[in-house]
Amino acid sequence: MKLIVDSNDYALCRGLSKRLTEKDVEYEVRHLKTGDFKWETDPPIIFERKTIKDFMQSLFNHHIHTQLINMQEVTPYNYIIIVGNLREFLLNPEVKRRYNIKQYMGGVCSLAIHGAKFMFCENNSQMVYLMKKTLEKFEKKDRPILLEKDMIYKSKDVSPYTKTLMLIPMISSEIGRAHV
């Protein structure tokens, strides 16, 4: 299966070529109408990549909302991948003047309510791994169910903020509730 990489971001394409090759991902660079990456499956799997800074900026100008709607019109298999270390981002003095954790969590919650599905990673190598693993799971029709989290998500007693925090790997319901 071939991964299509959007040609609109030339710097990203150049920087990713090594990562894609290292992970044995066959890819082609060409213009995509929506998303930054697309597996040409039936239906397609589309990913929109955002650094944390890009994500925050796109929340304020509402561009991410338009991107989400466009992806949802094409396929139910659409994902927003947020790349970066949130702690490092928020500790940056320049960033602290503009953004805070509540804005970040509120943005994730707002988009999640509208059907956004998120993946989080710290770098492009991890992002490539996530995209490749998503394809593998899709091809196997693997639909793992996380019972504890599934039951918590259905509970009306759990705040949207806690549910959002639980999307981050290694965050349990107890940790999520403790930080809200």
Side-chain angles (χ1 to χ4, degrees):
M1 187 65 51
K2 190 179 285 189
L3 179 69
I4 308 304
V5 179
D6 187 26
S7 60
N8 284 340
D9 193 341
Y10 181 72
L12 176 63
C13 293
R14 282 192 34 205
L16 277 180
S17 63
K18 180 180 177 187
R19 303 284 181 255
L20 293 166
T21 303
E22 286 172 352
K23 304 274 187 208
D24 295 321
V25 174
E26 185 181 344
Y27 70 97
E28 177 183 329
V29 177
R30 68 173 191 237
H31 174 72
L32 291 174
K33 289 182 182 177
T34 185
D36 293 316
F37 306 96
K38 178 171 89 172
W39 288 113
E40 292 193 313
T41 53
D42 185 25
I45 304 170
I46 298 176
F47 302 92
E48 178 65 39
R49 175 194 182 273
K50 295 284 184 200
T51 63
I52 297 170
K53 182 179 180 181
D54 292 340
F55 177 71
M56 294 300 289
Q57 289 172 339
S58 68
L59 282 173
F60 287 103
N61 66 23
H62 300 287
H63 184 61
I64 189 69
H65 298 87
T66 303
Q67 290 174 308
L68 175 62
I69 291 166
N70 291 341
M71 289 192 303
Q72 289 173 334
E73 288 175 353
V74 173
T75 180
Y77 299 99
N78 57 81
Y79 304 92
I80 298 170
I81 301 179
I82 300 179
V83 180
N85 183 304
L86 182 60
R87 181 181 307 257
E88 287 178 14
F89 177 77
L90 292 173
L91 288 176
N92 180 325
E94 223 176 277
V95 170
K96 279 177 120 173
R97 286 191 289 272
R98 292 190 69 188
Y99 306 115
N100 63 53
I101 188 69
K102 288 185 178 182
Q103 290 170 319
Y104 175 82
M105 291 188 326
V108 171
C109 285
S110 173
L111 290 167
I113 287 169
H114 291 32
K117 296 175 285 292
F118 291 94
M119 295 182 178
F120 301 90
C121 59
E122 290 197 8
N123 55 53
N124 286 336
S125 183
Q126 291 176 356
M127 180 188 68
V128 171
Y129 175 83
L130 282 172
M131 291 189 301
K132 186 174 178 181
K133 189 55 77 174
T134 301
L135 176 65
E136 289 172 11
K137 298 284 186 184
F138 181 85
E139 287 177 332
K140 290 180 182 177
K141 305 285 189 251
D142 188 7
R143 307 281 191 262
I145 298 172
L146 301 174
L147 294 178
E148 183 230 357
K149 286 192 176 185
D150 190 47
M151 289 179 351
I152 290 168
Y153 272 81
K154 290 177 182 171
S155 170
K156 294 181 186 205
D157 297 333
V158 179
S159 76
Y161 288 113
T162 299
K163 292 177 183 180
T164 300
L165 284 172
M166 288 172 56
L167 293 171
I168 300 170
M170 309 301 287
I171 302 283
S172 67
S173 60
E174 293 81 28
I175 294 172
R177 285 181 175 139
H179 285 83
V180 173

